[in-house]
Amino acid sequence: MKYGWWIWGFSLPVFLVTYVYSFFLASKIAYESQTDCRPKFIFTPKDVEYCSDIYPIDVFLISLKTYPLSYLCIASGMFFILHPLYQLYKKKLSYKTVYLALSWIPVPFLFHFFEYNQYISMRSSASPVIVLCVAIIIVGGLSTQANWKTFFLMNGIAAVLTLCLASLAVPNDLHWFKPVTRNVAMVFTAIVYTLGQLVVHFLVRGVITLVKRG
């Protein structure tokens, strides 16, 4: 179990690095000429007006075919998500431990990282917003198992990690982040992430109280 958690800790940075060198590179097909990109289409109609109209499933399959690291990206991402759930299912973890394991994850950074990559790849998707909302619900719900000191400490760690990783992996693109800078956008998202958790926290607390009274 100890080694499993060490692997779990490394799986997130492995996922991010391999994503950049696999699926992100594959998405660069959006910048290619029609002559170069059309032969690579699988499910995308050949008569689309722009290469950026390629279907996401085609980008996924092209990455699997062209970049072997994409398999490691998928494996590390799945392990990162499934390992805590498996340990919880086996009752080897308490809900508080799961909260501590998930709450330090720099979700605001991940949101902006994938959103910005979609922007420079000329693609649009609601996935980053969905992931942010799901993270708020899960972590906010689990936060009922922690005290307030732990809650704000873990969110502070996530915010610091967000700023550190953003300085390394997300350019300070003033055109994208206007009218603010990258760091301001990261801090704002971190605050929204924390406030969202608080809302879910109080809702879950209220439901638990009502159930106990019933």
Side-chain angles (χ1 to χ4, degrees):
M1 181 177 176
K2 178 177 66 175
Y3 295 109
W5 284 109
W6 276 106
I7 297 172
W8 180 83
F10 282 110
S11 63
L12 180 59
V14 169
F15 169 77
L16 294 174
V17 172
T18 52
Y19 171 84
V20 170
Y21 288 99
S22 57
F23 294 106
F24 175 67
L25 290 180
S27 68
K28 292 292 187 179
I29 191 175
Y31 292 102
E32 296 181 4
S33 64
Q34 292 278 10
T35 305
D36 294 331
C37 73
R38 281 180 177 175
K40 300 178 183 178
F41 290 169
I42 301 172
F43 294 103
T44 307
K46 305 292 184 181
D47 58 349
V48 294
E49 188 173 358
Y50 303 105
C51 292
S52 58
D53 293 328
I54 185 173
Y55 291 172
I57 184 63
D58 278 7
V59 175
F60 178 79
L61 294 174
I62 290 170
S63 181
L64 293 178
K65 180 180 179 181
T66 310
Y67 303 102
L69 282 176
S70 58
Y71 293 94
L72 181 57
C73 178
I74 295 172
S76 59
M78 291 182 64
F79 185 84
F80 183 81
I81 295 172
L82 296 178
H83 182 68
L85 297 178
Y86 174 76
Q87 296 297 330
L88 187 61
Y89 172 75
K90 288 293 185 178
K91 297 183 179 179
K92 294 181 179 180
L93 291 178
S94 65
Y95 285 102
K96 183 177 181 180
T97 304
V98 176
Y99 169 73
L100 293 174
L102 298 179
S103 58
W104 66 270
I105 299 173
V107 173
F109 160 74
L110 295 175
F111 168 77
H112 284 287
F113 177 78
F114 289 110
E115 189 181 47
Y116 183 75
N117 283 334
Q118 286 184 353
Y119 159 67
I120 62 178
S121 300
M122 302 173 65
R123 302 197 61 82
S124 179
S125 170
S127 299
V129 176
I130 294 173
V131 171
L132 178 64
C133 292
V134 170
I136 287 173
I137 293 172
I138 293 176
V139 179
L142 289 171
S143 69
T144 56
Q145 305 298 313
N147 56 40
W148 289 117
K149 181 180 178 180
T150 302
F151 176 84
F152 287 109
L153 175 63
M154 299 308 293
N155 275 280
I157 292 174
V160 171
L161 286 174
T162 290
L163 289 172
C164 293
L165 292 172
S167 66
L168 297 173
V170 181
N172 189 20
D173 189 336
L174 297 181
H175 178 73
W176 172 249
F177 290 109
K178 66 179 181 182
V180 297
T181 63
R182 175 198 61 206
N183 289 343
V184 173
M186 295 290 172
V187 170
F188 176 78
T189 305
I191 293 173
V192 171
Y193 180 57
T194 302
L195 292 177
Q197 289 179 57
L198 282 173
V199 171
V200 174
H201 176 99
F202 286 118
L203 287 175
V204 173
R205 282 279 189 188
V207 171
I208 292 174
T209 302
L210 288 175
V211 170
K212 287 182 177 179
R213 288 178 179 176

